[in-house]
Amino acid sequence: MVEQFISAIDFGETYIKLVKACVVGNKLHICGTFKTLTRGVKNGEILSKLELSEAIKELIDQSEVNQVKSENLIVVLPSNRLNVTRKKLEVINDKYPNVTVKEDIEKLKRDVSSSRLGENEMPVALYPITYYSDEKELGRIEPVGDRCKKYGIDAFVCSLPTGSSRAFIDVIEEMKLRVLTATISPLANVAVSLKPNEYKGGAIVLDIGGSGINISAYYNELLYVNYHTNKGINYILLQLMQEFNVNREGAEQILYKYGCASVENSSNLVVTKINNIDVKESDIARVVENSVEMMLGEVKKTFDLFLQESAELPIIVTGGGANIHGMSEKISNYFKKVTYSRGFLRIGGRDYSFNSCIGAIIAYSSERGFIKGEKEG
């Protein structure tokens, strides 16, 4: 018997994606995955509330299961303009010699999250590095119940522009839908893309989306680095459209049916006709590989020193670009690093496009004790 339906919506640059899941006996089951072309949004900003509302309604209607619509949503906000800042805060325990209580620490976390924020920024996540009780470092153990004269926190705070972030939530609430919580892709991806030892020991995640590659670096269960490049799947599609004189839909079919991120792994066999011309798999792979190398060049230009210094850390590839044949092998060869693609298993294979939604649902459900163990479905 279904105990609860939970849905997550992810506002990507190319597609808006929605995943509907249900909890049955402390297990999470994926009921369905849905997507529609992004409308009314560009570079993480809402250009048309009407077009965006229509796209959301389309997904909500598609996701109806047993006459139950996705009316309770976890929102995965665009992270194009995410800031990660390290902050410290120390406070005097005015209740001393009484011990600190949970409410004191919750206020400490709220205060450090909002300190030194710009007028137009809002905190979206807090990563404690260590807590303090007097002069003693406690690691991530909260100083609840300590009899101390002062206590504090050293943490990473993730923030987004208030206007654009709040606008997505406003559109959803104006549609009479309930927002359960909001998160961002670099945080949501953790539950699906990283194994516990990688989240602890360190890993680099390349989330390849439509408008660019979101680069996130994790170590000791902290998000240390987050950056967004400006070349993604749309760049590959544009090159295919120009090379083979096809529209966007035709370019997508070519990319995901015949495309390969490496000419070396393609064949010289004719695989299709485009505009009455025989096209070899290697012809398509050449365009895709050249495009991918331009994309990875942007990553290398920005993070070359970091990548060299973190040579032992694996790269995890996710997002829609991970669905391109040979992508993880290409990235591994390009950066000379161990590389994996990670995504949830579904009928017909793995799909990396919905990782942020799936991860957001897993994190939300786990934190509230709805599920135990691994997801199913």
Side-chain angles (χ1 to χ4, degrees), residues 163-371:
S164 57
S165 302
R166 183 66 234 181
F168 284 95
I169 296 172
D170 288 344
V171 168
I172 291 171
E173 291 180 338
E174 286 168 7
M175 296 176 66
K176 308 303 181 187
L177 301 171
R178 180 187 173 206
V179 175
L180 297 173
T181 189
T183 185
I184 49 177
S185 293
L187 304 184
N189 270 329
V190 170
V192 176
S193 302
L194 295 182
K195 295 181 178 180
N197 64 307
E198 293 166 344
Y199 194 28
K200 178 75 173 176
I204 299 166
V205 174
L206 300 186
D207 185 353
I208 306 174
S211 65
I213 301 175
N214 200 81
I215 308 150
S216 304
Y218 304 84
Y219 180 72
N220 200 23
E221 298 182 354
L222 297 171
L223 172 62
Y224 269 89
V225 175
N226 188 81
Y227 184 81
H228 192 81
T229 69
N230 295 315
K231 282 189 175 68
I233 300 170
N234 292 341
Y235 179 74
I236 303 176
L237 295 176
L238 179 61
Q239 306 311 308
L240 289 170
M241 290 164 67
Q242 293 175 346
E243 178 73 19
F244 298 110
N245 192 28
V246 293
N247 59 19
R248 182 188 174 88
E249 183 180 352
E252 282 193 334
Q253 291 177 354
I254 292 170
L255 176 60
Y256 291 111
K257 189 171 183 179
Y258 306 112
C260 180
S262 172
V263 174
E264 185 180 351
N265 293 331
S266 65
S267 72
N268 281 317
L269 297 175
V270 173
V271 291
T272 187
K273 277 184 179 291
I274 302 176
N275 297 325
N276 295 319
I277 298 173
D278 289 339
V279 177
K280 299 176 182 178
E281 187 179 57
S282 57
D283 296 332
I284 298 169
R286 173 179 49 80
V287 178
V288 175
E289 182 174 36
N290 289 341
S291 304
V292 169
E293 288 189 348
M294 288 293 290
M295 292 158 52
L296 298 181
E298 283 200 347
V299 175
K300 184 178 177 64
K301 182 171 59 177
T302 306
F303 281 96
D304 190 37
L305 182 60
F306 176 81
L307 290 166
Q308 289 178 33
E309 292 177 346
S310 58
E312 74 286 356
L313 299 186
I315 291 178
I316 313 300
V317 187
T318 185
N323 292 319
I324 298 170
H325 179 63
M327 180 62 85
S328 60
E329 293 88 346
K330 177 64 183 178
I331 291 174
S332 178
N333 292 333
Y334 189 90
F335 291 113
K336 304 293 188 285
K337 293 174 72 68
V338 174
T339 303
Y340 307 101
S341 293
R342 298 262 170 79
F344 79 100
L345 189 63
R346 59 178 298 189
I347 295 173
R350 291 192 177 271
D351 192 320
Y352 308 93
S353 305
F354 297 95
N355 276 9
S356 292
C357 286
I358 297 286
I361 293 172
I362 293 172
Y364 178 85
S365 303
S366 299
E367 288 167 4
R368 286 155 184 81
F370 298 155
I371 61 172

Side-chain angles (χ1 to χ4, degrees), residues 19-32 344-346 358 362 371-377:
V19 171
K20 186 166 189 174
C22 62
V23 178
V24 181
N26 289 328
K27 290 288 186 179
L28 189 67
H29 298 257
I30 306 303
C31 303
F344 79 100
L345 189 63
R346 59 178 298 189
I358 297 286
I362 293 172
I371 61 172
K372 296 177 183 178
E374 297 296 319
K375 67 183 182 303
E376 292 183 359

Side-chain angles (χ1 to χ4, degrees), residues 49-274:
K49 282 190 173 184
L50 177 61
E51 290 185 10
L52 179 57
S53 298
E54 290 173 348
I56 295 172
K57 184 179 184 304
E58 181 181 317
L59 285 177
I60 297 297
D61 291 343
Q62 284 180 30
S63 70
E64 188 171 352
V65 177
N66 297 327
Q67 286 72 54
V68 179
K69 291 188 177 181
S70 302
E71 296 179 336
N72 299 316
L73 296 173
I74 301 167
V75 180
V76 182
L77 295 167
S79 57
N80 309 46
R81 297 161 66 187
L82 178 70
N83 292 317
V84 182
T85 310
R86 186 170 182 173
K87 297 182 180 182
K88 292 183 179 182
L89 182 64
E90 186 177 84
V91 298
I92 303 298
N93 183 10
D94 54 12
K95 299 177 182 178
Y96 183 81
N98 292 335
V99 299
T100 56
V101 296
K102 183 68 175 177
E103 289 74 14
D104 296 326
I105 308 309
E106 291 302 314
K107 184 177 185 303
L108 175 70
K109 291 191 283 189
R110 289 195 302 271
D111 289 346
V112 75
S113 295
S114 58
S115 68
R116 302 196 310 277
L117 275 182
E119 274 187 24
N120 300 314
E121 279 188 288
M122 61 179 279
V124 292
L126 174 76
Y127 281 95
I129 299 170
T130 187
Y131 289 96
Y132 297 93
S133 178
D134 287 328
E135 304 302 326
K136 184 181 179 182
E137 289 190 17
L138 304 176
R140 292 185 195 159
I141 300 173
E142 297 181 353
V144 176
D146 282 17
R147 185 170 281 106
C148 53
K149 294 181 179 179
K150 57 184 179 180
Y151 54 92
I153 185 173
D154 180 1
F156 283 105
V157 177
C158 301
S159 60
L160 287 170
T162 303
S164 57
S165 302
R166 183 66 234 181
F168 284 95
I169 296 172
D170 288 344
V171 168
I172 291 171
E173 291 180 338
E174 286 168 7
M175 296 176 66
K176 308 303 181 187
L177 301 171
R178 180 187 173 206
V179 175
L180 297 173
T181 189
T183 185
I184 49 177
S185 293
L187 304 184
N189 270 329
V190 170
V192 176
S193 302
L194 295 182
K195 295 181 178 180
N197 64 307
E198 293 166 344
Y199 194 28
K200 178 75 173 176
I204 299 166
V205 174
L206 300 186
D207 185 353
I208 306 174
S211 65
I213 301 175
N214 200 81
I215 308 150
S216 304
Y218 304 84
Y219 180 72
N220 200 23
E221 298 182 354
L222 297 171
L223 172 62
Y224 269 89
V225 175
N226 188 81
Y227 184 81
H228 192 81
T229 69
N230 295 315
K231 282 189 175 68
I233 300 170
N234 292 341
Y235 179 74
I236 303 176
L237 295 176
L238 179 61
Q239 306 311 308
L240 289 170
M241 290 164 67
Q242 293 175 346
E243 178 73 19
F244 298 110
N245 192 28
V246 293
N247 59 19
R248 182 188 174 88
E249 183 180 352
E252 282 193 334
Q253 291 177 354
I254 292 170
L255 176 60
Y256 291 111
K257 189 171 183 179
Y258 306 112
C260 180
S262 172
V263 174
E264 185 180 351
N265 293 331
S266 65
S267 72
N268 281 317
L269 297 175
V270 173
V271 291
T272 187
K273 277 184 179 291
I274 302 176

